[in-house]
Amino acid sequence: MHPSPAEIEKIYSDRKAQVAGLAAKGSISVQDIQALTRHGRFQVADELWTICDEGAKKALISDEHHHVRSAAILH
């Protein structure tokens, strides 16, 4: 069964809040990205790469999903 539009909106809203929280924190560690979904990890690799520590960068470059890896490698 697919999520309802309201459930999808909640998922997007939650991810946006998680990523905004990481951006506000000013530094992202590997522990911070472990709880993120693939989309969240992609967003971190794409938009917040500069505030990732070395461990987070290595984790993103070797992520299980090719979209995340590709975004990380482009930096």
Side-chain angles (χ1 to χ4, degrees), residues 30-63:
V30 68
Q31 292 82 10
D32 295 324
I33 63 173
Q34 288 176 337
L36 297 174
T37 65
R38 169 179 55 97
H39 296 288
R41 294 188 313 276
F42 173 83
Q43 197 169 358
V44 167
D46 187 50
E47 299 173 13
L48 302 176
W49 180 260
T50 59
I51 64 170
C52 289
D53 68 15
E54 288 305 310
K57 288 178 179 179
K58 287 179 184 178
L60 292 167
I61 287 171
S62 62
D63 193 85

Side-chain angles (χ1 to χ4, degrees), residues 4-47:
S4 70
E7 291 169 325
I8 292 171
E9 186 60 37
K10 171 108 172 75
I11 291 167
Y12 289 162
S13 176
D14 289 348
R15 182 176 62 239
K16 184 177 179 179
Q18 283 179 308
V19 173
L22 292 176
K25 183 179 164 189
S27 177
I28 299 172
S29 69
V30 68
Q31 292 82 10
D32 295 324
I33 63 173
Q34 288 176 337
L36 297 174
T37 65
R38 169 179 55 97
H39 296 288
R41 294 188 313 276
F42 173 83
Q43 197 169 358
V44 167
D46 187 50
E47 299 173 13

